[in-house]
Amino acid sequence: MSDDLAGWLEWLRAHPELQTLLASATLIFAAWLSNWIVKRILVRGLYHLLQHTRENKLQDFGVIKRLSNIVPALVLSIGVTTVPGLPEGAVTVVRNVCGGFIVLTIALALGAVLDIINLIYQRRPDARLHPIKGYLQVVKIVVYAIATILIIATLIDRSPLILLSGLGAMAAVLMLIFQDTLLSLVASVQITSNDLIRVGDWVEMPQLNADGDVIDIALHTVKVQNWDKTITSIPTKRFISDSFKNWRGMQESGGRRIKRSLYLDQQSVHFLSREECERLHRFNLLDEYLTEKTKEIEEWNAKLAERGKEPVNTRRITNIGSFRAYVERYLRSHGGIHQNMTLIVRQLSPTADGLPLEVYCFTNTVAWTQYEAIQSDIFDHLLAILPEFGLRVFQHPSGADMRNWGESLTQRGTPALPEAQTPPFDAGADRTG
């Protein structure tokens, strides 16, 4: 047996090309076998252990799998020197390529480690207040930059210091290439230090059609999920250079503002008669107001003596003033209104569309659906109660108004005028006939 083996080896030495080919094949097989053993046994075993821990999501980043690729590269790098008859240039190329591959693998593994650090940090309760994703991305860029220099130096078989010495001349070029990254880095630092936005904030940036919740803050972009469930990616630097609205203050205050006006027909405004005042005393919210207001006006008018006999010289209660007092008291007693925040019912300047009566108050909830329900309930009630005060809401005439006006004329026996003689329609008058 030994004689046969010795004879076979002697024959193999007589054929150096075949000897080199067999040694190369053996080395490749050894590299493949080491890769199979590491990935099938060690990596799978570690993944199996992770599945039974709370860190089971960490296997998705592939750190262990990437590091396992170093083993076959090391086998090739070390074993290539033992292959007989292999040219020195081929040995150098294989070792350099394997060295560059090892550096690349380690850089990718470090990038995955940084992702794991970000994932673990996001589990902290205060993570959304101070996100670190942008800073980790800067570290990634530095790692990849160093890895690129080392890979190039390894492939050309030169010292990395030679490449670094030439970076000074490339500084301007690098600043031009990475200007967006540098601006984004500065913007990320300012956003974090000034607490401008956080993950979960409702932000509004009309110039970029963004209106929704911030779902991610990275180095280069901030992702905003709009209310229609689309996602807008905004460059981080735009939050420093452009104006935007952050609704966090409203959400933290516990109240959301209602600012809406009722446009009243100005021709329906009038003084209240005694009968109308007595009828309004039926309102529990107005009883005390009308009593105090009547007493105040009577005392004022009593000082006028003889001149007080003329109604034009006296003060009188108006229906719009009574309605304004009613709205304020109605809001003061409403369970959905925040009583510790500003509450105003005021008249604005008259317009061609009527007299605006503005309601300015805050709900005691910031939830969108509840806020809209409270606001709608309030104005449903106000619109329905207006006729009790002899007031009308201003509304531009429609086809139905013109038809009702014509039918009213017909019922009264008034002949219809030719179209050219039809008087102009008064938009402020009662259009019900």
Side-chain angles (χ1 to χ4, degrees), residues 184-197:
S184 299
L185 174 61
V186 174
S188 298
V189 173
Q190 291 181 344
I191 286 174
T192 303
S193 60
N194 296 325
D195 197 18
L196 297 181
I197 55 174

Side-chain angles (χ1 to χ4, degrees), residues 19-20 33 44 54 65 111-112 130 197 207 221 233 251 268 316 347 354 425:
Q19 184 181 6
T20 302
L33 182 62
R44 284 192 177 184
R54 63 188 302 267
K65 188 175 182 180
H130 305 286
I197 55 174
Q207 62 270 31
T221 59
S233 295
Q251 294 172 332
S268 65
R316 285 175 285 176
Q347 289 185 28
F425 189 81

Side-chain angles (χ1 to χ4, degrees), residues 101-174:
F101 178 77
I102 291 173
V103 173
L104 176 63
T105 302
I106 293 175
L108 294 176
L110 289 177
V113 169
L114 294 175
D115 292 334
I116 293 175
I117 293 174
N118 184 56
L119 176 65
I120 296 175
Y121 180 80
Q122 287 179 347
R123 294 174 179 174
R124 294 164 54 98
D126 58 343
R128 69 182 188 88
L129 304 180
H130 305 286
I132 63 172
K133 187 175 182 179
Y135 302 114
L136 294 179
Q137 287 181 332
V138 174
V139 176
K140 270 189 181 182
I141 293 175
V142 174
V143 170
Y144 293 156
I146 295 175
T148 302
I149 295 174
L150 293 177
I151 290 173
I152 295 175
T154 303
L155 292 177
I156 64 177
D157 199 15
R158 293 290 187 274
S159 172
L161 297 178
I162 299 177
L163 297 178
L164 291 175
S165 63
L167 290 180
M170 298 178 61
V173 178
L174 292 175

